[in-house]
Amino acid sequence: MSAVDRPSDTPGCLLAGLGAVAAPLLWAPKAAINVDGGLEGHARDLSVLYLDLPLIVLGGALLPVLAWALTRRWTYRPWVPVLVGVAAFALGSWGLLEWWEPRGEIWGDA
């Protein structure tokens, strides 16, 4: 396959960038209670900044790219891998927001 016939990798890079930016923006409102501490600062847990935040950014960047790359290997239509990457990011974001609960919301302010 020559360089002219090979599809571009630009959509995958754009999906990675979009995921790395959008994932923390979706996650931040739920994590805010752990950063500011909630009522009287009793629920402060700064591990969300040095543990959870890097994992959220990494997952947001890798999940759509991996779905895009795997789909790209099996199809020759250029729009199908992009659609699968966007769908994977949407489902991953929904799953994260449903599953991840900050400490202050589960146990109150303890």
Side-chain angles (χ1 to χ4, degrees):
M1 181 179 280
S2 70
V4 175
D5 296 335
R6 205 170 94 199
S8 173
D9 292 336
T10 305
C13 293
L14 290 175
L15 282 171
L18 178 70
V21 169
L25 292 176
L26 292 171
W27 166 84
K30 285 186 102 173
I33 192 169
N34 288 15
V35 176
D36 67 12
L39 180 65
E40 297 180 357
H42 291 293
R44 178 169 277 181
D45 181 16
L46 296 179
S47 70
V48 297
L49 295 178
Y50 62 82
L51 182 65
D52 294 351
L53 179 60
L55 292 174
I56 296 296
V57 172
L58 188 65
L62 290 181
L63 183 67
V65 168
L66 290 175
W68 172 80
L70 289 174
T71 307
R72 185 175 165 219
R73 293 178 65 98
W74 290 309
T75 186
Y76 294 106
R77 295 185 177 155
W79 56 271
V80 173
V82 173
L83 184 64
V84 169
V86 169
F89 176 74
L91 287 173
S93 298
W94 172 78
L96 171 74
L97 294 177
E98 288 297 318
W99 171 74
W100 187 78
E101 291 290 332
R103 181 175 159 255
E105 288 184 16
I106 295 174
W107 295 295
D109 61 323

